[in-house]
mmCIF file of all heavy atoms in Angstrom:
data_model
loop_
_atom_site.group_PDB
_atom_site.id
_atom_site.type_symbol
_atom_site.label_atom_id
_atom_site.label_comp_id
_atom_site.label_asym_id
_atom_site.label_seq_id
_atom_site.Cartn_x
_atom_site.Cartn_y
_atom_site.Cartn_z
ATOM 1 N N LEU I 134 0.467 -2.185 -4.763
ATOM 2 C CA LEU I 134 -0.976 -1.967 -4.788
ATOM 3 C C LEU I 134 -1.683 -3.253 -5.201
ATOM 4 O O LEU I 134 -1.301 -3.890 -6.181
ATOM 5 C CB LEU I 134 -1.327 -0.865 -5.784
ATOM 6 C CG LEU I 134 -1.200 0.581 -5.311
ATOM 7 C CD1 LEU I 134 -1.501 1.528 -6.457
ATOM 8 C CD2 LEU I 134 -2.134 0.862 -4.143
ATOM 9 N N TYR I 135 -2.675 -3.623 -4.418
ATOM 10 C CA TYR I 135 -3.453 -4.823 -4.711
ATOM 11 C C TYR I 135 -4.933 -4.509 -4.617
ATOM 12 O O TYR I 135 -5.351 -3.655 -3.832
ATOM 13 C CB TYR I 135 -3.147 -5.940 -3.705
ATOM 14 C CG TYR I 135 -1.824 -6.621 -3.883
ATOM 15 C CD1 TYR I 135 -0.689 -6.129 -3.242
ATOM 16 C CD2 TYR I 135 -1.693 -7.770 -4.663
ATOM 17 C CE1 TYR I 135 0.541 -6.760 -3.379
ATOM 18 C CE2 TYR I 135 -0.471 -8.412 -4.805
ATOM 19 C CZ TYR I 135 0.636 -7.905 -4.166
ATOM 20 O OH TYR I 135 1.850 -8.532 -4.303
ATOM 21 N N ASN I 136 -5.715 -5.222 -5.418
ATOM 22 C CA ASN I 136 -7.145 -5.315 -5.165
ATOM 23 C C ASN I 136 -7.312 -6.506 -4.240
ATOM 24 O O ASN I 136 -6.931 -7.626 -4.594
ATOM 25 C CB ASN I 136 -7.916 -5.542 -6.469
ATOM 26 C CG ASN I 136 -7.860 -4.348 -7.374
ATOM 27 O OD1 ASN I 136 -8.030 -3.221 -6.936
ATOM 28 N ND2 ASN I 136 -7.600 -4.579 -8.647
ATOM 29 N N TYR I 137 -7.867 -6.283 -3.053
ATOM 30 C CA TYR I 137 -7.945 -7.375 -2.098
ATOM 31 C C TYR I 137 -9.328 -7.447 -1.460
ATOM 32 O O TYR I 137 -10.100 -6.484 -1.467
ATOM 33 C CB TYR I 137 -6.862 -7.242 -1.022
ATOM 34 C CG TYR I 137 -6.870 -5.950 -0.235
ATOM 35 C CD1 TYR I 137 -7.649 -5.806 0.902
ATOM 36 C CD2 TYR I 137 -6.069 -4.873 -0.615
ATOM 37 C CE1 TYR I 137 -7.652 -4.634 1.636
ATOM 38 C CE2 TYR I 137 -6.056 -3.692 0.109
ATOM 39 C CZ TYR I 137 -6.850 -3.578 1.237
ATOM 40 O OH TYR I 137 -6.850 -2.405 1.949
ATOM 41 N N TYR I 138 -9.607 -8.622 -0.934
ATOM 42 C CA TYR I 138 -10.892 -8.880 -0.295
ATOM 43 C C TYR I 138 -10.726 -9.062 1.207
ATOM 44 O O TYR I 138 -9.794 -9.722 1.669
ATOM 45 C CB TYR I 138 -11.537 -10.147 -0.862
ATOM 46 C CG TYR I 138 -12.101 -9.981 -2.247
ATOM 47 C CD1 TYR I 138 -11.307 -10.191 -3.364
ATOM 48 C CD2 TYR I 138 -13.432 -9.612 -2.429
ATOM 49 C CE1 TYR I 138 -11.814 -10.051 -4.641
ATOM 50 C CE2 TYR I 138 -13.956 -9.470 -3.704
ATOM 51 C CZ TYR I 138 -13.149 -9.688 -4.808
ATOM 52 O OH TYR I 138 -13.658 -9.537 -6.076
ATOM 53 N N ILE I 139 -11.627 -8.452 1.970
ATOM 54 C CA ILE I 139 -11.800 -8.752 3.385
ATOM 55 C C ILE I 139 -13.234 -9.226 3.503
ATOM 56 O O ILE I 139 -14.170 -8.432 3.401
ATOM 57 C CB ILE I 139 -11.540 -7.531 4.280
ATOM 58 C CG1 ILE I 139 -10.104 -7.014 4.094
ATOM 59 C CG2 ILE I 139 -11.789 -7.878 5.743
ATOM 60 C CD1 ILE I 139 -9.786 -5.783 4.897
ATOM 61 N N GLY I 140 -13.393 -10.530 3.681
ATOM 62 C CA GLY I 140 -14.732 -11.103 3.580
ATOM 63 C C GLY I 140 -15.197 -10.988 2.136
ATOM 64 O O GLY I 140 -14.507 -11.425 1.221
ATOM 65 N N LYS I 141 -16.343 -10.361 1.948
ATOM 66 C CA LYS I 141 -16.859 -10.178 0.591
ATOM 67 C C LYS I 141 -16.638 -8.760 0.066
ATOM 68 O O LYS I 141 -17.020 -8.448 -1.063
ATOM 69 C CB LYS I 141 -18.357 -10.505 0.566
ATOM 70 C CG LYS I 141 -18.666 -11.965 0.845
ATOM 71 C CD LYS I 141 -20.153 -12.239 0.737
ATOM 72 C CE LYS I 141 -20.460 -13.713 0.993
ATOM 73 N NZ LYS I 141 -21.923 -14.003 0.876
ATOM 74 N N LYS I 142 -15.994 -7.921 0.877
ATOM 75 C CA LYS I 142 -15.764 -6.535 0.474
ATOM 76 C C LYS I 142 -14.432 -6.392 -0.256
ATOM 77 O O LYS I 142 -13.429 -6.972 0.158
ATOM 78 C CB LYS I 142 -15.794 -5.608 1.699
ATOM 79 C CG LYS I 142 -17.169 -5.470 2.331
ATOM 80 C CD LYS I 142 -17.165 -4.442 3.450
ATOM 81 C CE LYS I 142 -18.560 -4.263 4.047
ATOM 82 N NZ LYS I 142 -18.565 -3.254 5.131
ATOM 83 N N ASN I 143 -14.451 -5.617 -1.321
ATOM 84 C CA ASN I 143 -13.278 -5.418 -2.154
ATOM 85 C C ASN I 143 -12.654 -4.056 -1.889
ATOM 86 O O ASN I 143 -13.347 -3.049 -1.761
ATOM 87 C CB ASN I 143 -13.657 -5.538 -3.636
ATOM 88 C CG ASN I 143 -12.465 -5.368 -4.542
ATOM 89 O OD1 ASN I 143 -12.374 -4.398 -5.279
ATOM 90 N ND2 ASN I 143 -11.535 -6.308 -4.491
ATOM 91 N N PHE I 144 -11.315 -4.013 -1.783
ATOM 92 C CA PHE I 144 -10.578 -2.778 -1.536
ATOM 93 C C PHE I 144 -9.390 -2.704 -2.490
ATOM 94 O O PHE I 144 -8.979 -3.716 -3.073
ATOM 95 C CB PHE I 144 -10.058 -2.719 -0.097
ATOM 96 C CG PHE I 144 -11.117 -2.821 0.960
ATOM 97 C CD1 PHE I 144 -11.547 -4.063 1.422
ATOM 98 C CD2 PHE I 144 -11.691 -1.681 1.500
ATOM 99 C CE1 PHE I 144 -12.517 -4.167 2.392
ATOM 100 C CE2 PHE I 144 -12.661 -1.774 2.478
ATOM 101 C CZ PHE I 144 -13.083 -3.020 2.926
ATOM 102 N N THR I 145 -8.825 -1.522 -2.620
ATOM 103 C CA THR I 145 -7.574 -1.336 -3.350
ATOM 104 C C THR I 145 -6.647 -0.510 -2.477
ATOM 105 O O THR I 145 -7.026 0.554 -1.992
ATOM 106 C CB THR I 145 -7.797 -0.606 -4.684
ATOM 107 O OG1 THR I 145 -8.660 -1.387 -5.515
ATOM 108 C CG2 THR I 145 -6.471 -0.411 -5.409
ATOM 109 N N GLY I 146 -5.428 -0.999 -2.265
ATOM 110 C CA GLY I 146 -4.491 -0.262 -1.423
ATOM 111 C C GLY I 146 -3.146 -0.941 -1.356
ATOM 112 O O GLY I 146 -2.905 -1.979 -1.990
ATOM 113 N N TYR I 147 -2.249 -0.347 -0.562
ATOM 114 C CA TYR I 147 -0.898 -0.875 -0.427
ATOM 115 C C TYR I 147 -0.859 -2.035 0.563
ATOM 116 O O TYR I 147 -1.379 -1.934 1.669
ATOM 117 C CB TYR I 147 0.051 0.206 0.074
ATOM 118 C CG TYR I 147 0.367 1.277 -0.947
ATOM 119 C CD1 TYR I 147 -0.177 2.553 -0.831
ATOM 120 C CD2 TYR I 147 1.217 1.015 -2.009
ATOM 121 C CE1 TYR I 147 0.116 3.540 -1.753
ATOM 122 C CE2 TYR I 147 1.509 2.000 -2.944
ATOM 123 C CZ TYR I 147 0.958 3.260 -2.814
ATOM 124 O OH TYR I 147 1.245 4.226 -3.725
ATOM 125 N N LEU I 148 -0.235 -3.121 0.153
ATOM 126 C CA LEU I 148 0.041 -4.241 1.031
ATOM 127 C C LEU I 148 1.548 -4.492 1.023
ATOM 128 O O LEU I 148 2.194 -4.384 -0.021
ATOM 129 C CB LEU I 148 -0.699 -5.502 0.566
ATOM 130 C CG LEU I 148 -2.230 -5.431 0.548
ATOM 131 C CD1 LEU I 148 -2.811 -6.749 0.044
ATOM 132 C CD2 LEU I 148 -2.787 -5.099 1.927
ATOM 133 N N LYS I 149 2.084 -4.807 2.178
ATOM 134 C CA LYS I 149 3.509 -5.100 2.289
ATOM 135 C C LYS I 149 3.753 -6.555 1.895
ATOM 136 O O LYS I 149 3.069 -7.460 2.375
ATOM 137 C CB LYS I 149 3.985 -4.846 3.718
ATOM 138 C CG LYS I 149 5.491 -5.005 3.901
ATOM 139 C CD LYS I 149 5.896 -4.689 5.335
ATOM 140 C CE LYS I 149 7.401 -4.817 5.521
ATOM 141 N NZ LYS I 149 7.810 -4.493 6.904
ATOM 142 N N VAL I 150 4.734 -6.768 1.034
ATOM 143 C CA VAL I 150 5.044 -8.117 0.566
ATOM 144 C C VAL I 150 5.956 -8.793 1.589
ATOM 145 O O VAL I 150 7.087 -8.364 1.803
ATOM 146 C CB VAL I 150 5.715 -8.096 -0.816
ATOM 147 C CG1 VAL I 150 6.019 -9.516 -1.280
ATOM 148 C CG2 VAL I 150 4.829 -7.377 -1.833
ATOM 149 N N ILE I 151 5.464 -9.847 2.227
ATOM 150 C CA ILE I 151 6.222 -10.579 3.241
ATOM 151 C C ILE I 151 6.933 -11.784 2.635
ATOM 152 O O ILE I 151 8.084 -12.084 2.950
ATOM 153 C CB ILE I 151 5.295 -11.049 4.382
ATOM 154 C CG1 ILE I 151 4.530 -9.855 4.974
ATOM 155 C CG2 ILE I 151 6.097 -11.759 5.470
ATOM 156 C CD1 ILE I 151 5.418 -8.779 5.558
ATOM 157 N N PHE I 152 6.240 -12.475 1.755
ATOM 158 C CA PHE I 152 6.804 -13.639 1.058
ATOM 159 C C PHE I 152 6.219 -13.680 -0.342
ATOM 160 O O PHE I 152 5.010 -13.520 -0.521
ATOM 161 C CB PHE I 152 6.460 -14.931 1.808
ATOM 162 C CG PHE I 152 6.764 -16.188 1.034
ATOM 163 C CD1 PHE I 152 8.050 -16.718 1.018
ATOM 164 C CD2 PHE I 152 5.764 -16.840 0.315
ATOM 165 C CE1 PHE I 152 8.331 -17.874 0.297
ATOM 166 C CE2 PHE I 152 6.042 -17.998 -0.406
ATOM 167 C CZ PHE I 152 7.331 -18.510 -0.415
ATOM 168 N N LYS I 153 7.084 -13.902 -1.337
ATOM 169 C CA LYS I 153 6.600 -13.971 -2.721
ATOM 170 C C LYS I 153 7.047 -15.273 -3.352
ATOM 171 O O LYS I 153 8.243 -15.540 -3.480
ATOM 172 C CB LYS I 153 7.111 -12.785 -3.537
ATOM 173 C CG LYS I 153 6.568 -12.750 -4.956
ATOM 174 C CD LYS I 153 6.930 -11.470 -5.658
ATOM 175 C CE LYS I 153 6.408 -11.457 -7.096
ATOM 176 N NZ LYS I 153 4.944 -11.632 -7.164
ATOM 177 N N GLY I 154 6.094 -16.094 -3.717
ATOM 178 C CA GLY I 154 6.381 -17.341 -4.400
ATOM 179 C C GLY I 154 5.756 -17.345 -5.782
ATOM 180 O O GLY I 154 5.097 -16.397 -6.191
ATOM 181 N N SER I 155 5.963 -18.432 -6.501
ATOM 182 C CA SER I 155 5.393 -18.535 -7.843
ATOM 183 C C SER I 155 3.907 -18.882 -7.806
ATOM 184 O O SER I 155 3.156 -18.563 -8.739
ATOM 185 C CB SER I 155 6.148 -19.584 -8.653
ATOM 186 O OG SER I 155 6.095 -20.850 -7.999
ATOM 187 N N GLU I 156 3.477 -19.544 -6.723
ATOM 188 C CA GLU I 156 2.079 -19.951 -6.606
ATOM 189 C C GLU I 156 1.305 -19.091 -5.611
ATOM 190 O O GLU I 156 0.128 -18.784 -5.835
ATOM 191 C CB GLU I 156 1.998 -21.420 -6.178
ATOM 192 C CG GLU I 156 2.507 -22.388 -7.218
ATOM 193 C CD GLU I 156 1.692 -22.375 -8.496
ATOM 194 O OE1 GLU I 156 0.448 -22.317 -8.397
ATOM 195 O OE2 GLU I 156 2.291 -22.413 -9.589
#
Side-chain angles (χ1 to χ4, degrees):
L134 277 176
Y135 286 89
N136 292 315
Y137 57 87
Y138 286 88
I139 300 178
K141 294 183 179 181
K142 291 186 178 180
N143 181 247
F144 302 87
T145 299
Y147 288 107
L148 298 179
K149 185 178 181 179
V150 180
I151 305 300
F152 169 83
K153 184 172 179 58
S155 58
E156 293 297 318

